[in-house]
Amino acid sequence: MLVLLLLSVSVTAAEGQDFWRHLAPEQILHTDQDDAHVPEEEKEYADMWEALADCGLARPVVPQWLPEGFEQIELAEITGFPDELLYQAAYRRNEEALVFFVAVHLPREEGLQNSTGTFQKDEGDPEPYETGGVTHMLFTNAGRASAVWVNGPAECAISGDITMDELRQVIDSIYEL
């Protein structure tokens, strides 16, 4: 089930939706707030906060709250992309799964950044949800609550077996101090 969820949320899909066109341009451009870079040494991270801090991302993108019972079962760095760092965390609660994905775009001489991927979704338009000064696009994919958003050089996605209200709470928790 986790593999199907990962495949349905991340990578490029033939019938995907270009959510990034719904976001404000200033959310997509790299800014001086971040010093995104490849970490100096390879290491295993305990959680997404540690991985993103090590690569210099200085923006809130990681949820501080997940619905009760979800526990991290995997944190993976996906390699092979020269201009970005890709991290994926998987959580499980009994037979339910939740996946969180962050692509950190590294600075390039031209100042431009590429979009990582396309996401599949169920029929209907995504719902914009703004919090923390960031627009998040909410939708369902194969019946699972999902969201995508951009914060500076980070493209993020979360999807899983939770309700849309729980998804909003997860997103709200990103910006809590």
Side-chain angles (χ1 to χ4, degrees), residues 72-145:
Q72 182 176 302
I73 59 169
E74 179 184 42
L75 177 63
E77 181 176 358
I78 304 164
T79 59
F81 298 91
D83 294 343
E84 60 192 3
L85 302 169
L86 303 173
Y87 300 98
Q88 183 171 280
Y91 304 86
R92 182 172 296 281
R93 174 177 65 188
N94 301 318
E95 296 300 314
E96 299 170 317
L98 186 65
V99 177
F100 179 55
F101 171 83
V102 177
V104 179
H105 296 280
L106 300 173
R108 293 172 41 186
E109 287 183 29
E110 313 86 58
L112 302 173
Q113 296 177 358
N114 294 324
S115 177
T116 296
T118 304
F119 296 83
Q120 288 188 339
K121 61 175 221 48
D122 294 339
E123 195 171 318
D125 288 335
E127 171 194 337
Y129 180 68
E130 187 165 335
T131 186
V134 176
T135 302
H136 306 75
M137 302 307 292
L138 309 183
F139 57 97
T140 59
N141 181 22
R144 291 182 181 91

Side-chain angles (χ1 to χ4, degrees), residues 1-15:
M1 180 175 144
L2 184 59
V3 172
L4 290 175
L5 180 63
L6 294 174
L7 290 173
S8 68
V9 173
S10 48
V11 249
T12 304
E15 294 184 27

Side-chain angles (χ1 to χ4, degrees), residues 30-49:
H30 178 74
T31 68
D32 293 335
Q33 284 186 9
D34 303 284
D35 180 25
H37 59 274
V38 174
E40 292 182 22
E41 59 184 69
E42 271 189 48
K43 58 181 159 181
E44 290 196 24
Y45 301 104
D47 55 42
M48 190 72 81
W49 293 281

